Amino acid sequence: LLRRQIQGPNMQYRALLDTMVLTEKGVCFELLESDSQVSIQCLYSHLTLFMLYSSMLRVEKQTKDSVTLSWSSGRYQLRVWRSPFRLEILCEQELVVTFNSKGNLWFERLQHPPRLNQVYECLCSLLLLFQPQEEQKSSLWKETFKQFVDIKANGPSSVGADLCLHGFRHVYGLPEHSDNLQLRDTRDGEPYRLYNLDVFAYQLYSRLGLYGSVPLMVAHKPDRTLGVFWLNASETFINIQYSPTDHQPQTDVHWLSESGVIDCMVLLGPSPQQHFTQYAQLTGYQALPPLFALGYHQCRWNYIDEADVKSVDSGFDRHKIPYDVIWLDIEHTDGKRYFTWDPVHFSEPTRLQQHLEKKKRKLVIISDPHIKVDPHWSLYCEARDGEHFVKDREGQIFKGSCWPGESSYLDFSSSATRAWYSRCFSLDKYKGSTPSLFVWNDMNEPSVFSGPELTMPKDAVHCGGWEHRDLHNLYGFYQHMATVEGLITRSGGLERPFVLSRSFFAGSQRLGAVWTGDNVANWEHLKISIPMVLSLSLAGIVFCGADVGGFIQDPEPELLVRWYQAAALQPFFRGHSANVTNRREPWLFGDEVTAAIRTVIQQRYSLLPYWYTLFHQAHTSALPPLRPLWVEFPEEESTFSVDSQYMLGGALLACPVTEPGIQEVKIFLPGSGEIWYDIRSVQSYEGGRTLSLPVALDTVPVFQRGGSVVCRSVGSCSCTAELQQLPLSVTGIADGELYLDDGHSFRYRDEKAFCLRRFSMLSGLIQSVTILGLKSKPSTVIVHASGKELRH
């Protein structure tokens, strides 16, 4: 794919301007490839490219070489050049994007078997002469990778295109990679790869794909935020080249996908907020999670038995550490058969859940996409007889190995299979489950231990005859969808689900949460977790986090404390560890560590009213709770490359400590006209400067922005259900929002049963106000309420 498209020869297209037709959706015309004389049809729609503008396109100017179209009173223009074909997007006469600027448009049509294309095959064979000898045994119709053979039933079918982003020198997005927030120039190495894989203990600062893929690139400059969304679920590579010139900076982006069509959308912003809204209108808004999902989650592979679970649960109460959810990994099942329980160690699952529910806590169990091949197991037989499994290229049920041993894989691309799988979560079918049980989809890249790159062969076949290569990056998304629908159906459509998925794609935000996978207990993985969750947040996947302490290996106590402090300031907050690690409950490391962890988890719970309000904003306006500094300070170029600190909403700035043994951290406070308040010392600092802040083990550098209101709960609680009974404290000196509902149902949506309040120092009734920034204690406080003046 890469060699074929990059080494050429390039396909030279020209636009047949006389075929151009204006429609209510946009404009369509044909392109003709010069050598093959094959034409393809192009449809450019300003309704999908630019979601907020719905006026009709009109011809502004036409010559023999180009046609210029405009909309929105001429503010936006689309210029189509005949030969060589390229397309320019202009905003207020400024060139913003050029499509096919370097002539890399590439479109391979589906073909008949090789015997009918002998000439073409001969030409391709010539190209193979330039490949290393060990790779020459592959061809365009068959490729080998180690011992694996990939048969391409339709021949080569890759697509590609390049775009020039004019004026931009900072681009972000393309999760999931363990890399910096700002994407790097790829001329010095491999391109960024989007191909969902099970990667154990993943390498840092790598452009190889991880568990999920979102083909969205976000570019930013002081006066515009722009997005490029390449809607393709096959293996995809992205090359990035930054222009070195300051006079006319630009970023060139080259997209290459193994199969599918070119479906490329440009989101013009211009503000970060408008960009987020435009992308959400395309792919969906973040689902509003139940309140408990924003609390702390305790997980391990695996808690041994029901007594172990109850012991851990009581440990949190004994040490006065709040938490909401305890998790069970694969060993809770009967021989890795999902929807079952180990008959010895988890013989009374209903009573276990009832024990937790009495404390308003939840249980999460794992459910993976592989199904143990067992003709004596009714669920396997149902799936087999209902034709719910992926097939191999010969039309037989595909078999691979995973945790249960020999397994077959559910074909979640089929709506019938998703409906069947959803019904498996019903209380009468999933014996031992209760309404307080929620779900974790793991290994859904999909992970196949016996497959190429530990995943499913590309020539496996899904319903409708689609090859796995065409929809690989969507596989986990479809399982996530089916699980969410199963939990909603279980409640009769009344209760919000909670489902965590390791694999994801664009639009997964509509379904629930994701995490960054099998990280390692070291300082480098703690540090990289921040740009990773920021990258996910920019790509719409805002309910995200990293396993506290690192999944693999054993963290030293200082690292564990710092990881809790960082993770408490990320949306999804879960402690998790592998079965070969030492036990890691928060009270096992001595009183000092226990106290530090207790404090940071309690602080998380006190901020849950603010977190919940931020998720309401994400659900309704697509603003991510976690924001790179430039989102709040879009004109301040010094923020564009910062990824060690970030904004939590518009009010709080966080800079977690991610290095060992340090006694001082440097924190950049943006905004020359801003005032920032250290929430611990309440000392004020002017923005537009770098602050040196002394830190101890219990220091979590967080600053509140002057002019903001942050609502916190007051008092202690053991879980979010108790939190809802606590009074609120309003901290701020200007205005802000607070969102409240019942925390678990869809009544907020169906019955408008919610409370959304704006707090201001000038209106409304506020019972508790903390004012920061006073130089001395006031001698008198006068409160005006309902026309009355009260003097204190």
Side-chain angles (χ1 to χ4, degrees), residues 171-192:
V171 295
Y172 316 88
L174 302 182
E176 183 175 36
H177 298 92
S178 61
D179 205 353
N180 298 324
L181 177 62
Q182 182 176 342
L183 300 174
R184 290 177 288 156
D185 193 300
T186 61
R187 280 175 290 195
D188 62 347
E190 295 294 318
Y192 284 95

Side-chain angles (χ1 to χ4, degrees), residues 210 534 778:
L210 291 178
L534 287 173

